């Protein structure tokens, strides 16, 4: 168990999509620009998604009515969730993904071999391989800043305080109070995303005002290992089937060849 | 509230962008496993006359698993650190995670390499290419002594793991097309076995004393093609809503033409009607099976990755 369980509470209801957090993250972590700035063609957001050079990304969720007379924008400052049950950590074959003393999930850049298996293990699409370092990259929750008692760069830069950093249990209390308030204000779908029902709890959790799927968040993310037992079970069944069939093919004649000539097989040309 | 017209990141999954090295690795791993398993089964259960053919099977496994190793290392984005898969440098201890199929797979590739290397040496000894006395004794101990049955069975189990774990690897991921069906390991095993047997048929010379062995190998290969057909049908059914990733469009074309028609149905027809192409029947059907085995892996690895970020 970590010394302290540190994390973030991201209240999407107060985020106004300024991307200050995204810029602060890039600046502090010295993350390079993408090759070019381009329009996605589908959104005013020009980043698209989290990547090896974008450890934080403000999602623009643009909602329009059928006749486009009504429009609504939702914003979600997205990053690694530092899950209690982290899929990336589970599958990593080299122990390059570790849990820090702050209970955050950290990629040891000296141990990572760039096998990409962690990418398949993350249900949130957080990790990507850097073409520069050849290793997996994602938000570290500014581990270097935490070690000297500072808060992550994104939380410090946020002008609306929608990103709050601190002890997870304290943040959860704030979030629960906020949920009640939002519901009283008429946001009937207000909900906390990242309590213990989601992968044992997310150290970076969210206040949403719509269903998770509207933000592109999985409703019920699972550890990749959930399929492993079944997969191995079918593997054994396959081994038995293939083994028996091969055995049948090679044994059947043998029975009728019991009197087969025992010719010298000591060497074969 | 209205829906998002842009289908905004409805499934937030990133593709690992596994490319050609992994497809070839999966293909060669299947062949290495298939040839070794078939050889050990034939040595354990076949007649003495089969040995001439069996040793040619042992000749294939080791070089192929070497190619697999090279592909695995070159596929890494930090290939110089490939030993981290087996050794944890932070604590200087062996690196093994039972719940990570890739970690177990790394060890099994190494272990299988050892078994197949001894099989390879045994074949060379039997062909009188190696005459060093201690090597002759050593390979005879592993392949002909009272201990040999245990050795061959353990080696065969390693081969079985190698032939199936690539499917488990894909199953333990978040990509829907890889996780939806637990039959992926069975499909890969059947395909690897049939491709391995096809390759063994190709390297078995035309000799009257090997006719019986070839006949058995042809029959075993026919069984594997049928098993693969059944496994493929069940795989596609169990994929459910994600079946479209491999059954439609470009990947669908490859699946129906490259795998089902060229890789399975035509070879099956040739095995049932061995006189259809005269003496070339075995050659053609084996080549078709090998092509089908590769295309199957290409479709299953690439199809479900398409349409996600990073690809």
């Amino acid at each position: 168990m970590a010394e302290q369980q540190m994390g973030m509470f991201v209240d999407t209801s107060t985020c106004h999509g300024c991307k200050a957090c995204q810029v602060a993250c890039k600046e502090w972590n010295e993350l390079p620009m993408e090759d070019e700035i381009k329009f996605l063609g589908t959104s005013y957001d020009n980043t698209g998604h989290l990547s090896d050079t974008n450890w934080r990304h403000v999602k623009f969720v643009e909602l329009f009515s059928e006749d486009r007379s009504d429009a609504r924008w939702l914003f979600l400052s997205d990053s690694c969730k530092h899950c209690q049950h982290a899929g990336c950590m589970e599958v990593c074959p080299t122990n390059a993904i570790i849990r820090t003393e702050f209970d955050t999930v950290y990629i040891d850049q000296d141990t990572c071999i760039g096998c990409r298996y962690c990418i398949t293990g993350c249900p949130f699409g957080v990790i990507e391989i850097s073409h520069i370092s050849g290793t997996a990259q994602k938000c570290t929750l500014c581990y270097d800043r935490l070690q000297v008692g500072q808060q992550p760069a994104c939380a410090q830069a946020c002008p609306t305080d929608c990103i709050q950093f601190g002890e997870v249990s304290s943040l959860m209390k704030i979030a629960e109070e906020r949920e009640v308030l939002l519901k009283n204000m008429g946001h009937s779908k207000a909900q906390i995303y990242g309590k213990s029902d989601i992968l044992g709890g997310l150290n970076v959790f969210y206040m949403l005002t719509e269903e998770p799927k509207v933000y592109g968040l999985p409703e019920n993310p699972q550890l990749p290992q959930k399929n492993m037992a079944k997969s191995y079970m079918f593997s054994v069944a396959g081994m038995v089937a293939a083994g028996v069939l091969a055995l049948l093919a090679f044994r059947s004649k043998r029975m009728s060849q019991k009197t087969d000539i025992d010719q010298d097989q000591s060497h074969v040309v | 509230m209205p829906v998002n017209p842009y289908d905004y990141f409805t499934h937030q999954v990133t593709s690992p962008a596994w490319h050609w090295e992994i497809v070839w690795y999966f293909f060669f791993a299947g062949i290495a496993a298939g040839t070794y398993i078939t050889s050990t089964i034939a040595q354990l259960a076949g007649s003495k006359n089969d040995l001439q053919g069996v040793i040619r099977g042992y000749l294939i496994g080791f070089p192929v698993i070497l190619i697999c190793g090279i592909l695995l290392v070159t596929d890494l984005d930090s290939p110089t650190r490939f030993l981290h898969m087996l050794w944890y440098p932070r604590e200087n201890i062996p690196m093994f995670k039972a719940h990570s199929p890739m970690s177990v797979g790394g060890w099994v590739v190494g272990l299988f390499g050892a078994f197949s290397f001894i099989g390879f040496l045994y074949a060379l000894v039997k062909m009188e290419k190696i005459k060093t006395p201690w090597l002759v004794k050593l390979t005879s101990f592993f392949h002909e002594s009272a201990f040999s049955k245990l050795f061959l069975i353990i080696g065969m189990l390693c081969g079985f793991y190698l032939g199936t774990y690539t499917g488990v690897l894909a199953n333990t991921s978040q990509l829907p097309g890889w996780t939806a069906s637990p039959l992926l390991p069975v499909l890969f095993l059947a395909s690897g076995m049939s491709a391995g047997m096809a390759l063994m048929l190709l390297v078995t010379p035309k000799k009257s004393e090997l006719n019986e062995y070839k006949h058995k190998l042809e029959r075993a290969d026919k069984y594997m093609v049928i098993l693969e057909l059944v496994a493929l049908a069940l795989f596609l059914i169990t994929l459910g809503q994600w079946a479209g990733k491999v059954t439609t469009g470009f990947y669908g074309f490859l699946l129906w033409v490259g795998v089902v028609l060229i890789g399975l149905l035509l070879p099956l027809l040739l095995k049932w009607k061995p006189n259809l192409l005269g003496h070339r029947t075995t050659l053609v059907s084996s080549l078709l099976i090998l092509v089908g085995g590769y295309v199957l892996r290409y479709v299953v690895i690439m199809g479900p990755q398409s349409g996600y970020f990073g690809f």
Side-chain angles (χ1 to χ4, degrees):
Chain A
M1 189 64 186
E3 290 167 22
Q4 311 159 55
Q5 196 183 357
M6 306 303 282
M8 269 179 192
F9 165 46
V10 182
D11 185 351
T12 66
S13 68
T14 56
C15 176
H16 59 195
C18 69
K19 292 208 176 209
C21 52
Q22 203 172 314
V23 175
C25 175
K26 259 198 185 287
E27 284 192 342
W28 178 260
N29 294 296
E30 296 181 333
L31 298 172
M33 287 284 290
E34 300 286 2
D35 290 343
E36 56 187 17
I37 297 170
K38 56 193 170 198
F39 294 110
L40 295 182
T42 54
S43 167
Y44 282 100
D45 166 30
N46 64 354
T47 309
H49 55 91
L50 292 167
S51 70
D52 58 317
T53 54
N54 290 299
W55 295 354
R56 182 159 285 277
H57 165 230
V58 180
K59 279 185 172 185
F60 287 11
V61 183
E62 293 135 330
L63 301 170
F64 293 87
S65 60
E66 294 289 333
D67 61 356
R68 301 180 73 84
S69 60
D70 186 18
R72 183 179 165 202
W73 273 12
L74 303 174
F75 304 106
L76 183 140
S77 181
D78 198 15
S79 70
C80 171
K81 321 292 184 283
H82 297 271
C83 321
Q84 282 298 310
H85 301 151
C88 58
M89 215 171 136
E90 290 290 311
V91 296
C92 175
T94 63
N95 256 358
I97 305 184
I98 52 175
R99 200 166 279 284
T100 69
E101 65 269 35
F102 303 104
D103 202 40
T104 56
V105 178
Y106 181 82
I107 300 177
D108 177 0
Q109 296 296 318
D110 294 333
T111 310
C112 177
I113 58 175
C115 69
R116 298 166 178 257
Y117 199 24
C118 54
I119 298 174
T120 73
C122 176
F124 302 107
V126 163
I127 306 179
E128 215 174 68
I129 296 286
S130 162
H131 298 295
I132 301 162
S133 64
T135 53
Q137 300 285 345
K138 71 164 191 72
C139 157
T140 64
L141 213 78
C142 287
Y143 182 49
D144 49 352
R145 292 172 65 96
L146 264 54
Q147 283 175 311
V148 292
Q150 289 190 325
Q151 61 176 327
C154 56
Q156 186 164 340
C158 180
T160 64
D161 252 357
C162 86
I163 302 175
Q164 295 181 50
F165 171 77
E167 188 101 33
V168 171
S169 54
S170 313
L171 291 174
M172 190 56 82
K173 279 182 194 149
I174 297 171
E176 282 163 356
E177 284 167 15
R178 181 75 185 151
E179 185 183 15
V180 173
L181 184 69
L182 282 169
K183 280 189 171 157
N184 288 341
M185 287 167 67
H187 293 281
S188 59
K189 291 180 185 167
Q191 59 187 287
I192 298 169
Y193 183 85
K195 287 185 172 180
S196 57
D197 58 326
I198 305 277
L199 296 170
L202 308 179
N203 281 6
V204 174
F205 58 97
Y206 301 85
M207 170 62 66
L208 308 178
T209 55
E210 284 288 340
E211 297 295 329
K213 66 180 176 192
V214 175
Y215 297 87
L217 292 168
E219 298 275 354
N220 184 26
Q222 300 281 322
L223 277 180
Q225 268 78 8
K226 79 175 163 58
N227 293 321
M228 199 165 67
K230 205 198 288 181
S231 190
Y232 273 132
M233 212 171 67
F234 275 91
S235 298
V236 173
M239 290 175 199
V240 172
V244 167
L245 287 173
L247 200 63
L248 278 177
F250 281 98
R251 262 193 87 87
S252 53
K253 277 285 169 187
R254 198 190 187 200
M255 296 301 169
S256 60
Q257 285 180 350
K258 285 230 161 145
T259 53
D260 204 6
I261 357 83
D262 272 0
Q263 59 189 56
D264 181 19
Q265 291 287 329
S266 58
H267 71 272
V268 189
V269 184
Chain B
M1 190 63 196
V3 289
N4 179 356
Y6 301 123
D7 190 18
Y8 192 91
F9 304 157
T10 47
H11 210 293
Q12 192 170 336
V13 169
T14 309
S15 162
W18 280 347
H19 283 147
W20 66 271
E21 294 98 335
I22 292 299
V23 179
W24 280 106
Y25 163 63
F26 280 17
F27 176 58
F28 283 132
I31 288 180
T35 53
Y36 192 82
I37 294 166
T38 308
S39 301
T40 50
I41 288 178
Q43 190 175 357
L44 288 167
S47 68
K48 286 193 172 181
N49 290 334
D50 294 340
L51 192 64
Q52 284 200 44
V54 165
I55 63 156
R56 285 176 172 81
Y58 285 135
L59 279 179
I60 302 171
F62 181 63
V64 173
I65 202 69
L66 271 186
I67 296 171
C68 287
I70 293 166
L71 287 169
L72 273 179
V73 172
T74 52
D75 172 67
L76 298 175
D77 282 78
S78 295
T80 52
R81 298 181 185 171
F82 74 96
L83 270 178
H84 291 191
M85 188 81 88
L86 307 175
W87 192 258
Y88 187 46
R90 291 269 176 220
E91 294 177 18
N92 266 333
I93 51 169
M95 183 62 242
F96 180 76
K97 278 169 85 171
H99 56 277
S100 170
M102 189 180 276
S103 176
V104 183
W107 282 98
V108 171
V109 168
L111 197 60
F112 179 83
F115 278 98
S116 60
F117 179 60
I118 292 169
F120 182 73
L121 289 179
Y122 174 68
L124 291 179
V125 165
K126 282 292 170 191
M127 296 174 87
E128 295 190 329
K129 303 283 182 197
I130 290 180
K131 292 175 182 172
T132 318
W134 70 269
L135 272 177
V136 174
K137 271 188 187 172
L138 186 79
T139 54
S140 299
F141 171 72
F142 283 118
H143 274 262
E144 288 175 358
S145 71
F147 163 77
S148 66
K149 276 190 181 171
L150 180 67
F151 178 81
L152 292 176
I153 288 170
I154 296 172
M156 185 173 67
L157 290 175
C158 282
F160 271 129
Y161 188 86
L162 182 67
T164 53
Y165 100 95
T166 47
V168 180
L169 198 72
N171 269 173
T172 46
S173 74
Q174 301 288 354
L175 277 192
W178 285 354
T179 59
S181 171
L183 281 152
L184 198 49
V186 185
L187 181 62
F188 278 174
L189 178 67
S191 161
M193 292 279 286
S194 72
M197 288 172 183
L199 195 55
M200 285 168 81
L201 279 165
L202 286 179
V203 298
T204 304
K206 210 177 172 189
K207 281 183 182 175
S208 57
E209 63 267 35
L210 284 171
N211 280 349
E212 189 58 47
Y213 167 76
K214 278 193 102 166
H215 178 68
K216 289 178 185 178
L217 201 53
E218 280 279 11
R219 188 170 40 194
D221 203 11
K222 185 166 69 185
Y223 291 164
M224 288 309 142
V225 172
I226 294 169
L227 179 67
E228 190 181 339
L229 257 176
V230 173
L232 180 62
L234 293 173
F235 169 72
L236 293 177
I237 292 166
T238 48
L239 272 182
Q241 60 170 318
W242 301 105
K245 286 274 180 191
V246 292
T247 56
T248 57
F250 172 65
Y251 295 105
F253 174 77
L254 286 180
L255 179 79
W256 299 120
V257 178
V259 181
V260 178
L261 183 64
I262 293 176
L264 293 169
L265 295 180
L266 281 178
L268 205 54
L269 176 72
L270 292 174
K271 284 185 191 300
W272 248 301
K273 304 275 182 192
N275 297 324
L276 214 59
L277 296 176
H279 66 282
R280 288 200 180 89
T281 306
T282 300
L283 173 75
V284 174
S285 71
S286 296
L287 288 175
L288 292 180
I289 286 173
L290 286 167
V291 170
Y294 175 78
V295 177
L296 172 77
R297 278 158 182 83
Y298 183 81
V299 169
V300 171
I301 298 305
M302 296 305 197
Q305 286 191 104
S306 59
Y308 294 104
F309 302 131
F311 194 76

mmCIF file of all heavy atoms in Angstrom, chain B residues 7-8 21 45 49 54 64 86 90 118 134-136 138 140-141 145 152 163 165 212 221 226 254 264 280 286:
data_model
loop_
_atom_site.group_PDB
_atom_site.id
_atom_site.type_symbol
_atom_site.label_atom_id
_atom_site.label_comp_id
_atom_site.label_asym_id
_atom_site.label_seq_id
_atom_site.Cartn_x
_atom_site.Cartn_y
_atom_site.Cartn_z
ATOM 1 N N ASP B 7 -19.946 11.118 -33.692
ATOM 2 C CA ASP B 7 -19.559 9.810 -33.181
ATOM 3 C C ASP B 7 -18.232 9.949 -32.428
ATOM 4 O O ASP B 7 -17.239 9.283 -32.699
ATOM 5 C CB ASP B 7 -19.403 8.811 -34.337
ATOM 6 C CG ASP B 7 -19.245 7.384 -33.811
ATOM 7 O OD1 ASP B 7 -19.594 7.164 -32.644
ATOM 8 O OD2 ASP B 7 -18.775 6.529 -34.564
ATOM 9 N N TYR B 8 -18.238 10.844 -31.494
ATOM 10 C CA TYR B 8 -17.018 11.316 -30.857
ATOM 11 C C TYR B 8 -16.394 10.272 -29.939
ATOM 12 O O TYR B 8 -16.866 10.034 -28.839
ATOM 13 C CB TYR B 8 -17.358 12.587 -30.062
ATOM 14 C CG TYR B 8 -16.171 13.360 -29.582
ATOM 15 C CD1 TYR B 8 -15.628 14.368 -30.342
ATOM 16 C CD2 TYR B 8 -15.611 13.081 -28.351
ATOM 17 C CE1 TYR B 8 -14.554 15.098 -29.894
ATOM 18 C CE2 TYR B 8 -14.524 13.794 -27.892
ATOM 19 C CZ TYR B 8 -14.005 14.796 -28.667
ATOM 20 O OH TYR B 8 -12.926 15.514 -28.221
ATOM 21 N N GLU B 21 5.934 -7.609 -38.461
ATOM 22 C CA GLU B 21 6.814 -8.514 -37.702
ATOM 23 C C GLU B 21 5.988 -9.471 -36.842
ATOM 24 O O GLU B 21 6.312 -10.649 -36.729
ATOM 25 C CB GLU B 21 7.761 -7.721 -36.781
ATOM 26 C CG GLU B 21 8.783 -6.869 -37.499
ATOM 27 C CD GLU B 21 8.332 -5.432 -37.589
ATOM 28 O OE1 GLU B 21 7.107 -5.195 -37.547
ATOM 29 O OE2 GLU B 21 9.185 -4.546 -37.723
ATOM 30 N N ALA B 45 4.305 -42.259 -31.140
ATOM 31 C CA ALA B 45 3.201 -43.169 -31.464
ATOM 32 C C ALA B 45 3.328 -43.849 -32.818
ATOM 33 O O ALA B 45 2.634 -44.827 -33.079
ATOM 34 C CB ALA B 45 1.886 -42.383 -31.423
ATOM 35 N N ASN B 49 9.353 -47.121 -38.971
ATOM 36 C CA ASN B 49 9.585 -46.640 -40.340
ATOM 37 C C ASN B 49 9.384 -45.132 -40.470
ATOM 38 O O ASN B 49 9.853 -44.514 -41.414
ATOM 39 C CB ASN B 49 8.641 -47.343 -41.311
ATOM 40 C CG ASN B 49 9.009 -48.797 -41.480
ATOM 41 O OD1 ASN B 49 10.165 -49.167 -41.294
ATOM 42 N ND2 ASN B 49 8.031 -49.620 -41.799
ATOM 43 N N VAL B 54 10.278 -38.277 -39.472
ATOM 44 C CA VAL B 54 10.210 -37.491 -38.236
ATOM 45 C C VAL B 54 11.421 -36.565 -38.089
ATOM 46 O O VAL B 54 11.273 -35.394 -37.740
ATOM 47 C CB VAL B 54 10.113 -38.450 -37.015
ATOM 48 C CG1 VAL B 54 10.406 -37.705 -35.722
ATOM 49 C CG2 VAL B 54 8.738 -39.089 -36.956
ATOM 50 N N VAL B 64 13.283 -22.166 -37.491
ATOM 51 C CA VAL B 64 12.086 -21.310 -37.530
ATOM 52 C C VAL B 64 11.928 -20.536 -36.225
ATOM 53 O O VAL B 64 11.589 -19.347 -36.231
ATOM 54 C CB VAL B 64 10.822 -22.159 -37.841
ATOM 55 C CG1 VAL B 64 9.563 -21.325 -37.721
ATOM 56 C CG2 VAL B 64 10.917 -22.736 -39.244
ATOM 57 N N LEU B 86 13.235 -11.171 -19.760
ATOM 58 C CA LEU B 86 13.604 -12.346 -18.949
ATOM 59 C C LEU B 86 14.331 -11.970 -17.658
ATOM 60 O O LEU B 86 14.451 -12.776 -16.744
ATOM 61 C CB LEU B 86 14.500 -13.296 -19.768
ATOM 62 C CG LEU B 86 13.964 -13.737 -21.126
ATOM 63 C CD1 LEU B 86 15.006 -14.561 -21.871
ATOM 64 C CD2 LEU B 86 12.688 -14.554 -20.952
ATOM 65 N N ARG B 90 16.312 -3.821 -12.374
ATOM 66 C CA ARG B 90 16.237 -3.012 -11.143
ATOM 67 C C ARG B 90 16.613 -3.831 -9.909
ATOM 68 O O ARG B 90 17.205 -3.324 -8.983
ATOM 69 C CB ARG B 90 14.820 -2.470 -10.952
ATOM 70 C CG ARG B 90 14.442 -1.430 -11.972
ATOM 71 C CD ARG B 90 14.784 -0.033 -11.505
ATOM 72 N NE ARG B 90 14.487 0.929 -12.538
ATOM 73 C CZ ARG B 90 15.247 1.963 -12.837
ATOM 74 N NH1 ARG B 90 16.364 2.171 -12.176
ATOM 75 N NH2 ARG B 90 14.910 2.787 -13.775
ATOM 76 N N ILE B 118 17.754 -29.355 -29.409
ATOM 77 C CA ILE B 118 18.179 -30.746 -29.185
ATOM 78 C C ILE B 118 17.587 -31.644 -30.278
ATOM 79 O O ILE B 118 18.270 -32.534 -30.798
ATOM 80 C CB ILE B 118 17.776 -31.210 -27.768
ATOM 81 C CG1 ILE B 118 18.609 -30.433 -26.743
ATOM 82 C CG2 ILE B 118 17.988 -32.711 -27.601
ATOM 83 C CD1 ILE B 118 18.169 -30.567 -25.314
ATOM 84 N N TRP B 134 30.153 -37.371 -28.070
ATOM 85 C CA TRP B 134 29.342 -36.917 -26.928
ATOM 86 C C TRP B 134 28.002 -36.319 -27.377
ATOM 87 O O TRP B 134 26.999 -36.436 -26.679
ATOM 88 C CB TRP B 134 30.140 -35.952 -26.040
ATOM 89 C CG TRP B 134 30.430 -34.594 -26.647
ATOM 90 C CD1 TRP B 134 31.508 -34.226 -27.373
ATOM 91 C CD2 TRP B 134 29.603 -33.416 -26.562
ATOM 92 N NE1 TRP B 134 31.438 -32.920 -27.764
ATOM 93 C CE2 TRP B 134 30.272 -32.386 -27.265
ATOM 94 C CE3 TRP B 134 28.379 -33.126 -25.950
ATOM 95 C CZ2 TRP B 134 29.757 -31.106 -27.384
ATOM 96 C CZ3 TRP B 134 27.863 -31.840 -26.063
ATOM 97 C CH2 TRP B 134 28.548 -30.846 -26.774
ATOM 98 N N LEU B 135 28.007 -35.718 -28.559
ATOM 99 C CA LEU B 135 26.742 -35.179 -29.078
ATOM 100 C C LEU B 135 25.800 -36.319 -29.486
ATOM 101 O O LEU B 135 24.586 -36.241 -29.277
ATOM 102 C CB LEU B 135 26.998 -34.266 -30.281
ATOM 103 C CG LEU B 135 27.271 -32.795 -29.971
ATOM 104 C CD1 LEU B 135 27.573 -32.024 -31.237
ATOM 105 C CD2 LEU B 135 26.073 -32.167 -29.254
ATOM 106 N N VAL B 136 26.380 -37.358 -30.034
ATOM 107 C CA VAL B 136 25.574 -38.528 -30.409
ATOM 108 C C VAL B 136 24.940 -39.129 -29.158
ATOM 109 O O VAL B 136 23.737 -39.428 -29.124
ATOM 110 C CB VAL B 136 26.455 -39.585 -31.133
ATOM 111 C CG1 VAL B 136 25.661 -40.861 -31.394
ATOM 112 C CG2 VAL B 136 27.000 -39.010 -32.431
ATOM 113 N N LEU B 138 24.464 -37.615 -26.229
ATOM 114 C CA LEU B 138 23.536 -36.659 -25.615
ATOM 115 C C LEU B 138 22.179 -36.677 -26.321
ATOM 116 O O LEU B 138 21.126 -36.765 -25.676
ATOM 117 C CB LEU B 138 24.139 -35.252 -25.675
ATOM 118 C CG LEU B 138 23.353 -34.163 -24.935
ATOM 119 C CD1 LEU B 138 23.629 -34.234 -23.446
ATOM 120 C CD2 LEU B 138 23.724 -32.772 -25.448
ATOM 121 N N SER B 140 20.949 -38.994 -28.215
ATOM 122 C CA SER B 140 20.301 -40.301 -28.044
ATOM 123 C C SER B 140 19.635 -40.371 -26.671
ATOM 124 O O SER B 140 18.547 -40.916 -26.522
ATOM 125 C CB SER B 140 21.319 -41.431 -28.154
ATOM 126 O OG SER B 140 21.897 -41.394 -29.412
ATOM 127 N N PHE B 141 20.309 -39.803 -25.658
ATOM 128 C CA PHE B 141 19.744 -39.813 -24.303
ATOM 129 C C PHE B 141 18.389 -39.087 -24.291
ATOM 130 O O PHE B 141 17.415 -39.566 -23.720
ATOM 131 C CB PHE B 141 20.723 -39.147 -23.330
ATOM 132 C CG PHE B 141 20.146 -38.920 -21.970
ATOM 133 C CD1 PHE B 141 19.922 -39.988 -21.097
ATOM 134 C CD2 PHE B 141 19.795 -37.641 -21.539
ATOM 135 C CE1 PHE B 141 19.369 -39.781 -19.830
ATOM 136 C CE2 PHE B 141 19.241 -37.427 -20.284
ATOM 137 C CZ PHE B 141 19.035 -38.498 -19.425
ATOM 138 N N SER B 145 16.416 -42.716 -25.095
ATOM 139 C CA SER B 145 16.552 -43.471 -23.840
ATOM 140 C C SER B 145 15.190 -43.636 -23.163
ATOM 141 O O SER B 145 14.163 -43.182 -23.680
ATOM 142 C CB SER B 145 17.498 -42.721 -22.902
ATOM 143 O OG SER B 145 16.844 -41.555 -22.439
ATOM 144 N N LEU B 152 10.189 -35.755 -24.540
ATOM 145 C CA LEU B 152 9.393 -35.409 -25.732
ATOM 146 C C LEU B 152 8.030 -34.847 -25.348
ATOM 147 O O LEU B 152 7.525 -33.920 -25.996
ATOM 148 C CB LEU B 152 9.222 -36.642 -26.627
ATOM 149 C CG LEU B 152 10.497 -37.142 -27.307
ATOM 150 C CD1 LEU B 152 10.231 -38.424 -28.082
ATOM 151 C CD2 LEU B 152 11.066 -36.091 -28.254
ATOM 152 N N GLY B 163 2.001 -22.653 -29.634
ATOM 153 C CA GLY B 163 0.989 -22.609 -30.697
ATOM 154 C C GLY B 163 -0.301 -21.925 -30.290
ATOM 155 O O GLY B 163 -1.054 -21.457 -31.142
ATOM 156 N N TYR B 165 -0.535 -19.633 -27.266
ATOM 157 C CA TYR B 165 -0.468 -18.430 -26.426
ATOM 158 C C TYR B 165 -0.599 -17.139 -27.229
ATOM 159 O O TYR B 165 -1.013 -16.114 -26.688
ATOM 160 C CB TYR B 165 0.811 -18.415 -25.576
ATOM 161 C CG TYR B 165 1.929 -17.551 -26.105
ATOM 162 C CD1 TYR B 165 2.101 -16.245 -25.659
ATOM 163 C CD2 TYR B 165 2.804 -18.031 -27.060
ATOM 164 C CE1 TYR B 165 3.110 -15.439 -26.147
ATOM 165 C CE2 TYR B 165 3.816 -17.240 -27.553
ATOM 166 C CZ TYR B 165 3.966 -15.939 -27.091
ATOM 167 O OH TYR B 165 4.966 -15.147 -27.587
ATOM 168 N N GLU B 212 4.476 -44.626 -46.455
ATOM 169 C CA GLU B 212 3.535 -44.844 -45.355
ATOM 170 C C GLU B 212 3.492 -43.614 -44.437
ATOM 171 O O GLU B 212 2.430 -43.145 -44.043
ATOM 172 C CB GLU B 212 3.966 -46.082 -44.562
ATOM 173 C CG GLU B 212 2.957 -46.543 -43.529
ATOM 174 C CD GLU B 212 1.611 -46.855 -44.150
ATOM 175 O OE1 GLU B 212 1.566 -47.558 -45.178
ATOM 176 O OE2 GLU B 212 0.597 -46.365 -43.615
ATOM 177 N N ASP B 221 -2.688 -33.959 -41.597
ATOM 178 C CA ASP B 221 -2.873 -32.598 -42.101
ATOM 179 C C ASP B 221 -4.338 -32.370 -42.495
ATOM 180 O O ASP B 221 -4.900 -31.289 -42.260
ATOM 181 C CB ASP B 221 -1.948 -32.374 -43.310
ATOM 182 C CG ASP B 221 -1.669 -30.898 -43.528
ATOM 183 O OD1 ASP B 221 -2.011 -30.100 -42.646
ATOM 184 O OD2 ASP B 221 -1.102 -30.552 -44.578
ATOM 185 N N ILE B 226 -9.517 -29.710 -41.273
ATOM 186 C CA ILE B 226 -10.931 -29.794 -40.869
ATOM 187 C C ILE B 226 -11.126 -29.121 -39.507
ATOM 188 O O ILE B 226 -12.061 -28.340 -39.312
ATOM 189 C CB ILE B 226 -11.409 -31.266 -40.823
ATOM 190 C CG1 ILE B 226 -11.392 -31.850 -42.243
ATOM 191 C CG2 ILE B 226 -12.800 -31.383 -40.221
ATOM 192 C CD1 ILE B 226 -11.575 -33.352 -42.316
ATOM 193 N N LEU B 254 -9.858 -11.001 -48.004
ATOM 194 C CA LEU B 254 -8.711 -11.866 -47.698
ATOM 195 C C LEU B 254 -9.149 -13.122 -46.947
ATOM 196 O O LEU B 254 -8.644 -14.215 -47.189
ATOM 197 C CB LEU B 254 -7.680 -11.106 -46.855
ATOM 198 C CG LEU B 254 -6.845 -10.048 -47.561
ATOM 199 C CD1 LEU B 254 -5.870 -9.403 -46.578
ATOM 200 C CD2 LEU B 254 -6.055 -10.653 -48.718
ATOM 201 N N LEU B 264 -8.016 -23.389 -47.174
ATOM 202 C CA LEU B 264 -8.693 -24.512 -46.519
ATOM 203 C C LEU B 264 -9.448 -25.420 -47.497
ATOM 204 O O LEU B 264 -9.203 -26.626 -47.543
ATOM 205 C CB LEU B 264 -9.659 -23.984 -45.445
ATOM 206 C CG LEU B 264 -9.003 -23.300 -44.232
ATOM 207 C CD1 LEU B 264 -10.022 -22.592 -43.362
ATOM 208 C CD2 LEU B 264 -8.240 -24.313 -43.398
ATOM 209 N N ARG B 280 1.896 -33.548 -58.400
ATOM 210 C CA ARG B 280 2.046 -32.199 -57.832
ATOM 211 C C ARG B 280 1.002 -31.898 -56.754
ATOM 212 O O ARG B 280 0.999 -30.825 -56.156
ATOM 213 C CB ARG B 280 1.916 -31.149 -58.931
ATOM 214 C CG ARG B 280 3.104 -31.114 -59.867
ATOM 215 C CD ARG B 280 3.175 -29.776 -60.600
ATOM 216 N NE ARG B 280 4.325 -29.763 -61.489
ATOM 217 C CZ ARG B 280 4.300 -30.192 -62.746
ATOM 218 N NH1 ARG B 280 3.172 -30.683 -63.248
ATOM 219 N NH2 ARG B 280 5.375 -30.151 -63.488
ATOM 220 N N SER B 286 0.074 -28.227 -50.087
ATOM 221 C CA SER B 286 0.894 -27.746 -48.965
ATOM 222 C C SER B 286 1.174 -26.246 -49.101
ATOM 223 O O SER B 286 1.108 -25.500 -48.116
ATOM 224 C CB SER B 286 2.215 -28.508 -48.911
ATOM 225 O OG SER B 286 1.965 -29.858 -48.646
#
